[in-house]
Amino acid sequence: MTIREIAQLAGVSNAAVSRYLNGGYVSGEKKERIKKVIQETGYQPSMQARTLRTKKACLVGVVVPKINSESISRVTEGVGQVLSERGYHMLLASTDNQADKEVMYMKIFENYPVDGIILIGTMITAQHRKFLKESRVPVVVIGQYTRLANCVYHDDYGAGKAMGRAVGRALALYPEGRAAYIGVTREDKAAGAAREDGFCAGLKAEGQELEEEYRRVSRFRMEAGYEAAMDLLKKKDDIVIISCATDTIAAGAMEAILDYRKENGPEKESDTDGSKRYRFGNSPVKVTGFGDNQFLKAVTGGIPTVHFAYKTSGIKGAELLLDVVEKEERIPVEMKLGFQFVEAPGWSGGQQAE
């Protein structure tokens, strides 16, 4: 299959197909016809010929913190969609949430060479900053804010504040209850510092406070969320809500609550009027998260969480990178994406506009 044959089947000129394959302008109607023919025929352009013609490798290195994450898979889906449409291939490297490996893989990609690098970042260390300043290929960072490269990031502080306000309103129903928070390292400025700071600000706006002894730090794993939640439950008997920095951590917290309840049964305490207050039963401990994990929703029916446009961030990040690679765009871009608060059945916190 050749470009000429693709053009004949799509009813367009050879030049239109060439422009489409090289990321150039093609009108909407022609673009869809060419795309449909390529999909139906399974056409793959010659990478060697294109490299010789364009002086580009048609390869993009993508560095991710882990591959078994729903949120990361959404980002990489968006990246892959754009790269495929514009004739590029993805080289994927997973770092197991180790920041030093992020820098290592970026250096490997830079020397491979690739046309550009997309980093789905966990934190921006001194090593990251050095690499971003000196990199010989363009880099786009997704998920973290930085002035050293084009970046696409989320409003983690705003999302945290919305969650904090919802939790604060729910706490009003339990005058003696407290909220706990399981976060991640604050070296992660997005999921760590911004979400927690926003959460505390949201609680404060509702007249509540997150006390230090009700905070825990977890890794980005379900088992770590389980351990942190179990520790909280064993040491504090007035927790009614556990908010978690991610839905994965929240899943672990939910399992801990179930296990703790099995081991200890419904705990009863006498109120001043002599009535009984049930910690698990009439007032079970609730859990909130961030990320809108669809598997967790399918299994549990859903928890209060925050939906981020992860796939969109991947699409925008890839588009930004290819604009630099192909069009040599030099205008710095810092793109912040919004969020959506997602309620859950039976949740009484609700969302309130700022």
Side-chain angles (χ1 to χ4, degrees), residues 162-183:
M163 181 62 74
R165 297 199 71 169
V167 169
R169 290 190 291 276
L171 281 176
L173 301 176
Y174 310 103
E176 298 181 23
R178 295 289 183 271
Y181 187 85
I182 303 176

Side-chain angles (χ1 to χ4, degrees), residues 111-147:
N111 292 314
Y112 187 73
V114 297
D115 297 311
I117 297 170
I118 293 176
L119 168 65
I120 304 176
T122 57
M123 58 189 72
I124 306 296
T125 66
Q127 286 182 306
H128 285 80
R129 288 190 286 271
K130 186 176 187 297
F131 179 86
L132 294 175
K133 288 178 182 177
E134 300 174 356
S135 177
R136 300 189 303 272
V137 298
V139 181
V140 169
V141 178
I142 298 178
Q144 297 286 340
Y145 171 79
T146 178
R147 292 184 178 179

Side-chain angles (χ1 to χ4, degrees), residues 120-311:
I120 304 176
T122 57
M123 58 189 72
I124 306 296
T125 66
Q127 286 182 306
H128 285 80
R129 288 190 286 271
K130 186 176 187 297
F131 179 86
L132 294 175
K133 288 178 182 177
E134 300 174 356
S135 177
R136 300 189 303 272
V137 298
V139 181
V140 169
V141 178
I142 298 178
Q144 297 286 340
Y145 171 79
T146 178
R147 292 184 178 179
L148 300 175
N150 286 351
C151 61
V152 182
Y153 62 104
H154 306 281
D155 185 6
D156 287 282
Y157 181 87
K161 188 173 183 180
M163 181 62 74
R165 297 199 71 169
V167 169
R169 290 190 291 276
L171 281 176
L173 301 176
Y174 310 103
E176 298 181 23
R178 295 289 183 271
Y181 187 85
I182 303 176
V184 296
T185 173
R186 291 182 64 83
E187 292 182 18
D188 184 326
K189 300 301 182 185
R195 288 182 194 175
E196 182 175 352
D197 290 348
F199 181 79
C200 291
L203 277 181
K204 187 174 181 179
E206 297 297 328
Q208 304 285 349
E209 183 180 357
L210 178 62
E211 300 172 41
E212 188 60 36
E213 59 267 34
Y214 290 81
R215 299 176 192 241
R216 294 293 185 275
V217 177
S218 168
R219 301 183 308 281
F220 288 87
R221 296 184 180 276
M222 182 174 159
E223 58 268 27
Y226 179 97
E227 293 169 2
M230 186 63 77
D231 184 60
L232 282 165
L233 294 170
K234 289 179 178 179
K235 294 178 179 178
K236 298 294 179 181
D237 61 6
D238 54 358
I239 295 173
V240 293
I241 299 173
I242 299 178
S243 288
C244 303
T246 74
D247 278 2
T248 300
I249 295 171
M254 294 174 73
E255 185 178 359
I257 291 168
L258 290 174
D259 286 352
Y260 187 88
R261 186 178 185 181
K262 290 176 184 176
E263 293 173 5
N264 297 274
E267 295 185 2
K268 303 178 182 180
E269 296 180 7
S270 296
D271 287 331
T272 53
D273 62 0
S275 63
K276 295 291 185 180
R277 177 165 63 87
Y278 291 79
R279 177 179 174 182
F280 302 109
N282 295 337
S283 303
V285 177
K286 295 179 172 63
V287 176
T288 75
F290 291 83
D292 195 18
N293 185 289
Q294 296 304 297
F295 179 75
L296 180 63
K297 180 180 291 186
V299 172
T300 67
I303 62 173
T305 187
V306 173
H307 180 84
F308 294 110
Y310 287 124
K311 183 177 179 179

Side-chain angles (χ1 to χ4, degrees), residues 62-65 72 75-76 79 102 118-122 140-143:
V62 181
V63 182
V64 304
I72 300 302
V75 180
T76 54
V79 171
E102 293 179 355
I118 293 176
L119 168 65
I120 304 176
T122 57
V140 169
V141 178
I142 298 178

Side-chain angles (χ1 to χ4, degrees), residues 140 150-152 315-324 333 335:
V140 169
N150 286 351
C151 61
V152 182
I315 290 172
K316 296 300 182 183
E319 289 175 344
L320 285 177
L321 182 69
L322 296 188
D323 283 347
V324 176
V333 177
M335 186 180 298

